[in-house]
Amino acid sequence: VDEARKAMLRRQKIASTSVAGYFERCAKLFSGGRGGLDRLSTKGIEGEIRRDVGRTFATRSFFRSRFGQDALADVLLALSVAHPQIGYCQGMNLVVGALLEVHLCDGHIPVEDADTGGSRQSHNKEEVSENQVKKENTFSPMTTRSAQRSVFWLASALCSVGEDTDET
């Protein structure tokens, strides 16, 4: 991921000092406070993202939850801004969605367990109820943002495949 990040930044002629916060700037998270689906326009690329997010893996509880949809919307918006030559295209939601779910859940979703005094327990994704996934505190904001950044850079590397890698 680090090599892909450096290569993309070189191609876009962004100084290495501005790497911190690049995902947040592209996702427009600084100027609107909270990200997510609600802040997206219903027109243009944002409208396409908004419509596709609701259709992404619609049978999976992670993506039926507002939490999963908001996380996906932020990454898709950031990618469309970071890669204007590509923008947003059909199927991008499925690739990014799969990366995001795997990165965040890694086969398990931590949930609060009242029987153990609120300690975190891992449950198989298929066993976790939709209500448990909907809890906003299922993942910490720091964990979520970190996963979004990692998926953004991985997907950015995929968007950059085949581009001229000449550093001159």
Side-chain angles (χ1 to χ4, degrees), residues 1-16 22 82-86 153-168:
V1 173
D2 287 335
E3 287 305 312
R5 180 183 309 172
K6 289 176 189 174
M8 187 180 99
L9 292 176
R10 279 194 302 271
R11 281 192 295 280
Q12 293 184 355
K13 309 238 186 301
I14 297 171
S16 62
Y22 185 63
H83 300 278
Q85 72 282 14
I86 296 172
W153 289 111
L154 285 168
S156 288
L158 292 172
C159 289
S160 300
V161 170
E163 288 184 5
D164 183 11
T165 57
D166 184 29
E167 294 184 22
T168 58

Side-chain angles (χ1 to χ4, degrees), residues 1-164:
V1 173
D2 287 335
E3 287 305 312
R5 180 183 309 172
K6 289 176 189 174
M8 187 180 99
L9 292 176
R10 279 194 302 271
R11 281 192 295 280
Q12 293 184 355
K13 309 238 186 301
I14 297 171
S16 62
T17 56
S18 67
V19 171
Y22 185 63
F23 163 74
E24 287 81 356
R25 281 193 300 279
C26 290
K28 302 176 183 176
L29 294 173
F30 289 136
S31 61
R34 189 163 185 250
L37 209 52
D38 285 340
R39 53 123 182 193
L40 295 180
S41 167
T42 57
K43 297 181 178 172
I45 288 177
E46 289 186 13
E48 289 178 45
I49 291 170
R50 187 182 188 99
R51 286 185 295 278
D52 280 353
V53 163
R55 297 185 280 221
T56 303
F57 301 121
T59 61
R60 302 196 54 81
S61 60
F62 179 76
F63 291 104
R64 283 194 312 261
S65 74
R66 190 52 179 236
F67 170 80
Q69 291 180 356
D70 286 348
L72 178 60
D74 290 342
V75 177
L76 292 173
L77 178 62
L79 285 168
S80 72
V81 170
H83 300 278
Q85 72 282 14
I86 296 172
Y88 175 74
C89 58
Q90 186 177 11
M92 194 178 278
N93 58 320
L94 299 173
V95 173
V96 171
L99 290 171
L100 189 60
E101 186 178 31
V102 166
H103 196 81
L104 262 173
C105 302
D106 195 22
H108 294 82
I109 296 178
V111 295
E112 297 292 333
D113 185 344
D115 296 335
T116 59
S119 66
R120 300 246 178 213
Q121 300 263 325
S122 288
H123 298 276
N124 184 297
K125 276 190 284 195
E126 303 306 323
E127 297 171 1
V128 177
S129 74
E130 187 172 346
N131 289 336
Q132 289 170 314
V133 174
K134 285 182 178 178
K135 288 183 181 180
E136 283 206 337
N137 66 351
T138 299
F139 300 99
S140 74
M142 185 176 290
T143 301
T144 303
R145 188 68 72 226
S146 175
Q148 286 177 305
R149 280 188 209 108
S150 294
V151 169
F152 168 78
W153 289 111
L154 285 168
S156 288
L158 292 172
C159 289
S160 300
V161 170
E163 288 184 5
D164 183 11

